[in-house]
Amino acid sequence: MATLNPIQIGPLRIDSPVLLAPMTGVSDLPFRRVVRRYGSGLNVTEMIASQAAIRETRQSLQKAAWDPIEEPVSMQLVGCTPREMGEAARLNEDRGAAIIDINMGCPVRKVVNGDAGSALMRDLKLATDIVAATVKAVSVPVTLKMRMGWDHASLNAPELARIAEDIGVRMITVHGRTRCQMYKGEADWAFIRSVKDAVSIPVIANGDICSIDDAEQALTLSGADGIMVGRGAYGRPWLLRQMMHWFATGTRLPDPSIDEQYRVIVEHYEAMLSHYGEMTGVNMARKHIGWYTKGLPGSAEFRNRVTQVPEARTVLAMLAEFYAPWLSRAAA
């Protein structure tokens, strides 16, 4: 069994380094709040564009919103100029960020075409300047999330990690794919060991960690100090707690009862309505309904129907009807 020990991120001690990944359109405040209540070592916000953060757009402020139960919270920034990244980092420190995380891993074309995200792995000079400006701008720890490299001909994550550590970055997270792989193929957890061997700061393994067995294998192959869970938590905000419990005790926690799962989805849904407003909230929540209900009998047909409904009240009534046959009160 792999072991998971506390890590130190600057002055911050993370007792169980099972981290929630930044996921655009997913790891918003309502979702992170649910995950943290079950248990997570650290939450990272959605990726916030540095220019939007400086302009204080409505969307950037929504993404930077956090709940005191999340403390310490990490806010992730993405950008392509040192000045803007430094200024955005200062603003987010003022908004309560305990950690500033720099995104050099996003593979999405819109981000990469703006010379940000994983595009920076093709320009180590600019990447270095961005890291330096961000570290200099804030008093809180700065961390860095990256991929293995742009493609398999340029696997420069160990080099970038060494540069970042020398500048003052306090933790590195590596997604075990190149940018050109996007999310295809399988994450190469063994490659992450080359980054771990290159630096003395904590290294976190990321990519395809969707179960306790995945977490075990990722740690064993990578030698990493912790894991970051992204898509594995879709519809399973309790997964990080189950992983933390496994590494602490060697025993597996069962999934919550259907009654509890139903309460979670209703609470999560209502929190999204409150966070975004009804119209946007209904639209944003549809994917979560799909993830929560996946695997239940009749769920595919239910998802097809519920995603066509624009009224929140009707959706809640449909959820109650769908879950009713499995709830304990139904059998009483």
Side-chain angles (χ1 to χ4, degrees):
M1 177 177 163
T3 58
L4 202 58
N5 298 312
I7 62 171
Q8 204 73 27
I9 307 175
L12 300 173
R13 175 185 162 104
I14 307 299
D15 288 324
S16 186
V18 178
L19 283 52
L20 178 67
M23 295 175 283
T24 298
V26 177
S27 61
D28 54 15
L29 176 59
F31 182 70
R32 296 196 320 270
R33 191 187 280 132
V34 177
V35 171
R36 176 49 62 89
R37 270 211 316 275
Y38 276 107
S40 57
L42 182 73
N43 284 356
V44 186
T45 67
E46 297 175 88
M47 178 179 69
I48 304 167
S50 57
Q51 290 180 343
I54 293 167
R55 295 199 308 270
E56 296 189 326
T57 64
R58 179 180 57 82
Q59 190 178 65
S60 72
L61 293 174
Q62 268 185 338
K63 289 180 176 181
W66 57 282
D67 189 296
I69 68 167
E70 295 187 89
E71 292 183 349
V73 67
S74 172
M75 294 190 190
Q76 189 184 75
L77 294 175
V78 65
C80 58
T81 72
R83 182 189 61 79
E84 287 177 342
M85 283 290 284
E87 187 174 347
R90 274 193 301 272
L91 288 170
N92 281 282
E93 180 182 19
D94 291 343
R95 292 184 188 125
I99 296 169
I100 298 294
D101 187 60
I102 301 173
N103 182 313
M104 293 191 186
C106 180
V108 175
R109 182 176 291 116
K110 178 181 175 183
V111 173
V112 168
N113 286 351
D115 295 325
S118 56
L120 290 167
M121 300 198 75
R122 292 187 299 184
D123 188 343
L124 290 192
K125 172 64 169 65
L126 179 56
T128 300
D129 291 345
I130 283 175
V131 171
T134 306
V135 170
K136 184 178 179 181
V138 295
S139 59
V140 298
V142 173
T143 60
L144 176 61
K145 189 169 189 289
M146 64 175 76
R147 289 199 163 215
M148 298 193 302
W150 179 258
D151 55 28
H152 278 87
S154 55
L155 300 177
N156 58 355
E159 181 183 1
L160 178 55
R162 280 192 296 269
I163 292 169
E165 181 182 27
D166 288 344
I167 294 170
V169 162
R170 301 301 187 95
M171 184 182 79
I172 302 286
T173 300
V174 184
H175 182 119
R177 287 183 174 88
T178 66
R179 186 274 165 179
C180 290
Q181 283 181 279
M182 300 294 285
Y183 294 101
K184 297 175 183 176
E186 295 181 353
D188 185 350
W189 298 322
F191 173 85
I192 298 171
R193 187 175 288 273
S194 65
V195 180
K196 173 63 181 168
D197 291 343
V199 296
S200 58
I201 55 178
V203 172
I204 306 298
N206 175 231
D208 294 349
I209 301 175
C210 300
S211 68
I212 288 172
D213 292 338
D214 290 341
E216 274 273 342
Q217 191 174 6
L219 284 174
T220 299
L221 292 175
S222 68
D225 302 286
I227 53 173
M228 179 174 278
V229 181
R231 290 176 290 172
Y234 286 3
R236 296 186 294 165
W238 44 82
L239 177 61
L240 280 76
R241 179 184 70 167
Q242 291 172 320
M243 291 178 174
M244 290 167 66
H245 183 83
W246 166 256
F247 287 115
T249 68
T251 61
R252 296 179 185 247
L253 283 176
D255 287 344
S257 67
I258 292 293
D259 291 66
E260 185 175 340
Q261 292 184 36
Y262 173 65
R263 287 195 298 272
V264 168
I265 190 172
V266 170
E267 180 183 330
H268 187 178
Y269 191 82
E270 291 176 340
M272 294 190 75
L273 300 177
S274 175
H275 188 63
Y276 292 109
E278 178 163 349
M279 185 170 70
T280 302
V282 167
N283 291 334
M284 294 284 287
R286 285 171 177 158
K287 56 180 174 285
H288 289 283
I289 290 175
W291 295 329
Y292 278 115
T293 58
K294 185 177 180 180
L296 291 172
S299 60
E301 183 200 354
F302 172 73
R303 288 194 299 273
N304 288 337
R305 286 191 295 115
V306 80
T307 54
Q308 308 300 316
V309 177
E311 299 89 13
R313 183 181 301 179
T314 305
V315 171
L316 287 167
M318 292 173 70
L319 280 168
E321 181 182 11
F322 177 73
Y323 275 91
W326 301 293
L327 300 183
S328 57
R329 65 173 181 269

